[in-house]
Amino acid sequence: LCQIVNTVTCVFTLGCASAMIVSSAPQAMAVGLRPEIIIELEKQNLGRVIVDPHTGLAAGGFDPVAYFLNKVPVQGNPRVEATFTTATYRFVSSANRDVFLRSPLIYQPRFGGRGAMQMARGLAVEGNPKVWAIFKNRLFFFHSVALRNEWLTAPDGFAAQAEIEWKKQNSIRKSFSDT
């Protein structure tokens, strides 16, 4: 039912359901992701994605590609999933899943699904996948409509500050894990 290939990737099929698991840069290389995605994956340490503790789903089960194509959040189909780094995403179609897996850094919510405005303020607060914006071809979640509206008044500045804070938080986490 599930075949492990060199402990790198697990691809399985259950009726019409299918899933692909990519958990790290070496695994990404094994399934043929482009080298620039692998380098960026390692740089950004994208394994820190918020997932629902009960379901293991990222982005509230919404299809991350649908934000770009449909311009609205669309619940993914439980029969069409992919796990990238530590998070499982659902998609409305296998075509959306394949698009995601070709360029996961574009479609995966920035800051692991944390609220972009709070990240700009140095706070790692879970974002709401129903309150979102696409800015410079990246998907951002926000904790509330008010915070999204505030962020949209100066998205360049807030996005730059959020990137600085994200890197700080990741370097702090990394230093703790190194000890």
Side-chain angles (χ1 to χ4, degrees):
L1 205 52
C2 180
Q3 180 183 10
I4 305 290
V5 182
N6 296 329
T7 66
V8 170
T9 150
C10 173
V11 180
F12 57 92
T13 303
L14 292 167
C16 294
S18 63
M20 181 176 288
I21 299 171
V22 180
S23 301
S24 65
Q27 290 175 339
M29 194 176 310
V31 297
L33 289 178
R34 295 189 318 266
E36 64 271 18
I37 291 174
I38 296 165
I39 291 166
E40 193 63 24
L41 171 65
E42 289 178 332
K43 276 187 357 194
Q44 293 188 22
N45 195 9
L46 290 177
R48 297 180 185 357
V49 175
I50 293 176
V51 297
D52 181 302
H54 302 290
T55 65
L57 295 175
F62 290 99
D63 179 339
V65 176
Y67 289 93
F68 292 82
L69 299 178
N70 300 65
K71 308 298 183 206
V72 295
V74 179
Q75 276 293 326
N77 182 337
R79 295 179 165 266
V80 187
E81 294 183 340
T83 300
F84 181 71
T85 64
T86 59
T88 299
Y89 295 90
R90 286 191 174 161
F91 302 90
V92 297
S93 67
S94 58
N96 279 16
R97 182 193 58 212
D98 295 346
V99 165
F100 175 86
L101 289 171
R102 279 194 300 274
S103 300
L105 298 176
I106 290 174
Y107 298 104
Q108 186 175 39
R110 192 69 192 112
F111 314 124
R114 289 160 187 81
M117 192 66 197
Q118 291 92 332
M119 187 57 65
R121 294 177 174 153
L123 303 171
V125 177
E126 183 174 355
N128 180 344
K130 294 180 183 178
V131 184
W132 59 280
I134 294 174
F135 177 69
K136 293 190 175 178
N137 216 24
R138 294 302 306 266
L139 175 61
F140 296 90
F141 289 163
F142 299 87
H143 187 69
S144 69
V145 171
L147 289 170
R148 179 188 59 197
N149 291 344
E150 181 181 353
W151 189 84
L152 289 172
T153 64
D156 283 307
F158 288 127
Q161 186 59 40
E163 291 294 338
I164 290 167
E165 294 298 329
W166 178 243
K167 287 178 182 154
K168 278 188 206 173
Q169 290 189 20
N170 279 326
S171 66
I172 290 169
R173 282 190 206 108
K174 184 170 175 19
S175 67
F176 280 123
S177 66
D178 288 345
T179 57

